[in-house]
Amino acid sequence: MTMTTIRGEPFHVQVDGDAGAPALLLSNSLGTNLSMWDPQVAEWTRHFRVVRYDSRGHGRSTAPDTPYSIAMLADDALAILDALGIGKAHWCGLSKGGMVGQWLATHHGGRFDKVVLANTGAYMGPPENWETRLRNVRENGMAVMVQPTLERWFSPAFRERDTATIARVSEMLATTPPLGYANCCAAIRDMDQRGTIQAIRNPVLVIIGKVDPATPPEAGHFIADTVPGAQRVELDAAHLSNLEQPAAFTKAVLDFLKS
């Protein structure tokens, strides 16, 4: 676990794997932190230098109460690569991390090789829904978000079957800085990449949860249909598919990156 100063702000960054291996940068979802990738790291570090970080507003990273944007979150990722001396990397982002990945592939595609966009969308309207959510968090803290979020993120059967994972994710949600969460909600509220992602030229894999109510399958299909040459994989999972179907998710990403 390493705290790194990025453009004058603290970020929690963790690097695993051979320093000489190709880099793979992972970006967490809204309301989680870099530990959401724990089930994947052991396998992926056999092939890649895996870089994880707590996104702005999350975990132990900076969480100022200032306006955020998807472009700002993308700039954070680029600055982390720069700080580590990494010129080019693969990308894997889930939900909010996938939104950041779309921006990066659209505007900074030369910094990345292959791009995985998991359980995500190019537009997450209507804006009023996000405004209601961020106001709720600002007024009442993260406790009000935990149970409804878990119900969106995991299928009922998984919530009953894997209580340990549910407990870990519940803790991540509960300890996310409320102001950081709210400002990330605002960034998602203001995002619309539907008209720009057709410019992406990186190889892209879109991972879709078949029973995902947060970013429904049609959101993933839109991205896969819009990005030229994009591949898609559908998993029997809800929103956090890397946790609900860890083996299938790990293999799908590895097969794509190694192909």
Side-chain angles (χ1 to χ4, degrees):
M1 302 289 184
T2 304
M3 295 303 298
T4 303
T5 300
I6 303 294
R7 297 179 301 177
E9 296 181 286
F11 277 83
H12 182 204
V13 180
Q14 182 166 339
V15 182
D16 298 283
D18 188 340
L24 169 60
L25 185 58
L26 309 180
S27 187
N28 59 280
S29 72
L30 181 69
T32 64
N33 57 51
L34 60 76
S35 69
M36 70 167 283
W37 300 108
D38 284 352
Q40 280 70 52
V41 169
E43 179 62 26
W44 288 351
T45 52
R46 296 178 58 236
H47 308 273
F48 303 102
R49 183 188 185 194
V50 176
V51 180
R52 297 181 280 169
Y53 67 102
D54 291 341
S55 171
R56 174 180 297 271
H58 290 71
R60 295 167 57 193
S61 289
T62 185
D65 188 16
T66 56
Y68 300 1
S69 66
I70 296 299
M72 175 188 287
L73 301 179
D75 285 345
D76 290 338
L78 292 173
I80 288 169
L81 290 180
D82 290 343
L84 294 172
I86 297 172
K88 195 168 188 177
H90 298 301
W91 175 272
C92 180
L94 190 147
S95 192
K96 177 177 63 61
M99 300 168 200
V100 175
Q102 291 170 69
W103 180 275
L104 287 167
T106 299
H107 300 279
H108 300 281
R111 292 297 302 272
F112 296 89
D113 189 356
K114 295 185 176 182
V115 174
V116 180
L117 308 172
N119 299 86
T120 194
Y123 174 72
M124 295 295 293
E128 294 78 13
N129 290 354
W130 293 98
E131 189 65 27
T132 299
R133 187 189 299 193
L134 71 87
R135 285 180 180 173
N136 192 13
V137 170
R138 281 185 173 274
E139 293 171 3
N140 302 300
M142 286 301 297
V144 297
M145 295 305 305
V146 174
Q147 191 56 39
T149 301
L150 293 173
E151 291 173 2
R152 288 196 307 274
W153 280 2
F154 299 104
S155 66
F158 183 81
R159 293 199 306 271
E160 292 182 9
R161 181 175 73 249
D162 194 338
T163 56
T165 294
I166 298 302
R168 288 196 298 273
V169 175
S170 177
E171 177 69 12
M172 282 190 246
L173 281 163
T175 57
T176 296
L179 296 179
Y181 182 95
N183 284 302
C184 281
C185 286
I188 296 171
R189 176 198 64 196
D190 298 339
M191 176 195 72
D192 188 349
Q193 302 189 76
R194 291 173 294 182
T196 57
I197 58 173
Q198 61 186 331
I200 294 173
R201 293 297 179 264
N202 302 74
V204 168
L205 172 66
V206 181
I207 298 180
I208 298 164
K210 292 181 180 179
V211 292
D212 182 356
T215 50
E218 54 265 30
H221 291 307
F222 176 85
I223 296 171
D225 291 339
T226 303
V227 175
Q231 302 176 39
R232 74 192 79 188
V233 169
E234 296 195 32
L235 302 179
D236 291 319
H239 191 53
L240 295 194
S241 61
N242 75 303
L243 297 178
E244 188 158 345
Q245 292 288 345
F249 187 100
T250 301
K251 184 178 187 300
V253 172
L254 189 57
D255 286 351
F256 171 68
L257 296 182
K258 297 291 287 181
S259 64

